[in-house]
Amino acid sequence: MCRVICLFLLLLPSLSKAEDGSRLWLRGKTDYHAIVSSNRKSPVIDVAVQELQTQWAGGKVQLVVSSGKAFENLGKDGFMIVGNKDSGVTIQALTEHGVLYGAYHLLRLQQTGAISGELNITETPKYAIRMLNHWDNLNGSIERGYAGRSLWKWEQLPDTISPRYKEYARANASVGINGTVLNNVNASPNILKDDYLRKVKILADIFRPYGVKVYLSVNFSTPSVLGGLADSDPLSPAVLQWWKDKVKEIYQLIPDFGGFLVKANSEGQPGPHDYGRTHAEGANMLATALKPYHGIVIWRAFVYAPNSDDRAKQAYHEFVPLDGKFMDNVIIQVKNGPVDFQPREPFTPLFGAMRKTPLMVEFQITQEYLGFSNHLAYLAPLFKECLDSDTYCNGAGSTVAKLTDGTLTPNPLTAIAGVANTGEDTNWTGHHFAQANWYCFGRLAWNHSLTSEQIADEWIRMTFTPDESFVKPVKEMMLTSRETVVDYMMPLGLHHIFAEGHHYGPQPWHEKASREDWTARYYHKADASGIGFDRTTSGSNAVSQYFPPLNETFNSLSACPENLLLWFHHVSWNHKMKNGRSLWDELCYKYDAGVQQVREYQKMWDRMEKYTDAERFQHVQSRLKIQSRDAVWWKDACLLYFQTFSNQPIPYNIERPVHELDDLKQIRLNLRNTN
Ligand code: GCU
């Protein structure tokens, strides 16, 4: 008897193996000995072979890199998988990268229990470049990073190599991400110093076998700040020469370097306007330097000046006149919404308005405006809402996705970017469920027609368990979670009423800043008559930047979708909503619904205890408590403050405020934002 118990105790640690989230969704068994052969040998193929040998539980696998018509259609990264799990599988592709993505696809099918019968799969990615943007600073902090400090240990490189560099590349490759911008868009010129470039080279070398190319954010003033030139005027031959020399130096170290990402003349960053030049002149100068090496320039359209023009309109004004003026190795990176990664925004009207220039979407995976790594918000529905938005630029069906993936515009470049949520936390992303946002970004970048549900389903099975008793309710929670955050933070089209600076909690009363558009009042404009930003033809006229019939839809109080109502209209408190309630009542019910929904998530998660490991269970449980408290804080702050204008009672059948407005106004947070 004792022997049995002792044996049991010995076995116990391995049965209840610690689950700290470090393995992400890559939790398949790794002790198989599959037979894998290949017609090509290379570092990329070696990765594919090794992954399959250790994780594939079926018959032999053949990896084939082939040329020929059938394969050309697969493009650079596509693949075909044919065969049968037991008798053998062949992964074929035009390139070794295609084979690698095929290997990860096959393993995902196995891990999600989706392999049955004969396999006959063809996959090609929708975007050629699928990249993460890291807002990591050279001092190890991360702008808007909520999972600890930077993964890149600049002070230790190039000599000491963290094992996480390889794990990072592997995780990206497993979801098809093939590019990474290592440093913050608010870029330090120092990243282009020789010693930093040697560190960057090491990272590029580690990422290369996983197909992940390195890009850098550059500061437009680098020639003058670092190179000692008199200025950084893009039309100065000396400046162009400086960039040409620098680019040559980079390519000598990193022959497959991807290119530069540039934030110029935005939020105090230098740029071509400093010299009276246009964005196109600035971008083309860098593109000229990169062109001989097939490097690209990713030029951001996130610009707004401290003037009285509606911030949501400004990128359009600056960029549309430049359409067609950019070199063919320039792509314009546009945030999904016209203001700034809000819980809900309409799509940016630049999509559809610049047909002669490649445009790419920039999403924010890190939850700057969705509760950091404290709140559970699954972002696939937000990403898809933008990608599936119909711009009507070419009649119905001209979605943002089709405009950016090359379907509706023969773009030489197609790309998509997500601002990364990774850091040195053991679980990579702070909240275990925030891993799903990295994962879903990669999956949508590969195939934007996947549904949010399909992706959540895959992720849950791989990351937690395939047990339906867990998958079903957890998926339901994930799928509703973004809308829940919208409800308790900014329902009905409200936006940017965050606390100044850190953007975590509510501060709708914020009305004094160095710029009006850095206050919350600028965005909600609540007064005795109502609430909302009038962007109709009688207001800022931002609606006119959209194509018909959208401009008319948004312009009309009755036709405007209610989830964007206060984005486009200043609406009377007594306005009758479609469900018959007044606007004020509806606002109250929405805030309350958000709070109640988080409470439901708590109850549901507690029921999941028996299906998951203690470590992740408790971690998520404790974050849900924070989210629940924060939701009440948001609701009370917003309703009590807006009530000072509406002068109406909070409907009596919803939960009463538990805070005093004056107390809420005193809250000063010391947040875990490494910035
Ligand atoms: C937001 C964010 C900044 C960031 C900027 C950008 O404004 O708060 O931290 O630098 O976006 O995207 O450039």
Side-chain angles (χ1 to χ4, degrees), residues 570-624:
H570 191 266
V571 183
S572 126
W573 296 112
N574 292 322
H575 167 80
K576 198 164 166 199
M577 303 294 288
K578 295 202 173 91
N579 61 11
R581 287 185 186 134
S582 69
L583 170 71
W584 167 250
D585 280 1
E586 181 66 357
L587 203 60
C588 296
Y589 280 107
K590 283 279 182 202
Y591 274 104
D592 192 57
V595 170
Q596 300 313 325
Q597 194 66 47
V598 183
R599 299 237 167 87
E600 288 305 316
Y601 297 161
Q602 287 187 281
K603 289 183 208 154
M604 187 284 295
W605 186 250
D606 281 357
R607 283 189 212 109
M608 295 301 110
E609 185 165 8
K610 57 176 176 288
Y611 304 107
T612 185
D613 53 284
E615 195 169 343
R616 289 186 297 173
F617 172 76
Q618 280 158 15
H619 196 268
V620 173
Q621 186 186 48
S622 119
R623 298 269 158 142
L624 281 170

Side-chain angles (χ1 to χ4, degrees), residues 135 143-144 185-186 263 267 300 302 335 340 368-369 503:
W135 286 359
E143 178 145 348
R144 314 304 177 187
V185 284
N186 298 315
K263 171 174 177 177
E267 297 185 331
R300 294 177 90 225
F302 177 65
K335 287 189 180 181
D340 194 5
E368 174 182 356
Y369 296 103
H503 299 160

Side-chain angles (χ1 to χ4, degrees), residues 393-415:
C393 70
N394 224 8
S398 320
T399 61
V400 171
K402 286 188 187 159
L403 283 163
T404 51
D405 73 2
T407 309
L408 288 177
T409 32
N411 286 342
L413 284 174
T414 65

Side-chain angles (χ1 to χ4, degrees), residues 118-131:
E118 293 300 307
L119 292 168
N120 191 356
I121 297 165
T122 303
E123 287 262 336
T124 55
K126 299 276 191 193
Y127 295 97
I129 301 172
R130 309 171 292 278
M131 60 159 44

Side-chain angles (χ1 to χ4, degrees), residues 154-188:
W154 295 112
E155 68 294 348
Q156 298 173 1
L157 282 163
D159 305 321
T160 306
I161 313 278
S162 155
R164 294 196 97 181
Y165 300 153
K166 196 166 145 185
E167 291 168 29
Y168 163 85
R170 176 175 180 243
N172 279 324
S174 76
V175 289
I177 291 171
N178 66 353
T180 179
V181 183
L182 297 176
N183 60 319
N184 192 354
V185 284
N186 298 315
S188 161

Side-chain angles (χ1 to χ4, degrees), residues 137 163 353 384:
N137 298 312
K384 279 193 71 81

